Amino acid sequence: APTLSPCLSEISLLVPLEIRTIGFRFPPAREQEDGRRLSFRLSRQFPHVAVIWHEGVFYAIAAERLPTSAEWQNAVNQIWQSLTGT
């Protein structure tokens, strides 16, 4: 019989008026592995923002100010350069 392994999770109540969300794409389209790697590193680049990637779209949620378009683009360029070595 299969066994279930324990996992940790955190459940928090979100009040919609206190959060900011955004969805965006960076051309060219990213493969799943690249999208997940970028979302992880973007979350580390902007510690007050949680970033996930799903089906080609990055989604960000923050309780504070979201980065500007230029800040997102600069962060992606820096991260992509470090991942690809270019």
Side-chain angles (χ1 to χ4, degrees):
T3 60
L4 297 176
S5 60
C7 63
L8 299 176
S9 67
E10 181 176 328
I11 300 173
S12 300
L13 176 63
L14 296 176
V15 178
L17 298 177
E18 297 177 2
I19 60 172
R20 289 143 184 90
T21 60
I22 188 172
F24 53 91
R25 293 177 189 260
F26 286 112
R30 307 290 179 192
E31 296 296 323
Q32 181 174 349
E33 183 177 336
D34 291 339
R36 289 183 176 169
R37 290 167 67 192
L38 274 172
S39 66
F40 173 78
R41 285 169 174 78
L42 285 168
S43 293
R44 302 220 21 176
Q45 179 83 21
F46 302 109
H48 63 282
V49 180
V51 182
I52 60 167
W53 180 90
H54 180 69
E55 295 183 0
V57 180
F58 292 90
Y59 297 96
I61 184 170
E64 300 174 13
R65 176 190 74 86
L66 284 166
T68 65
S69 295
E71 290 172 319
W72 285 117
Q73 190 63 56
N74 289 336
V76 167
N77 289 341
Q78 290 173 0
I79 292 166
W80 196 247
Q81 286 176 355
S82 72
L83 290 174
T84 61
T86 59

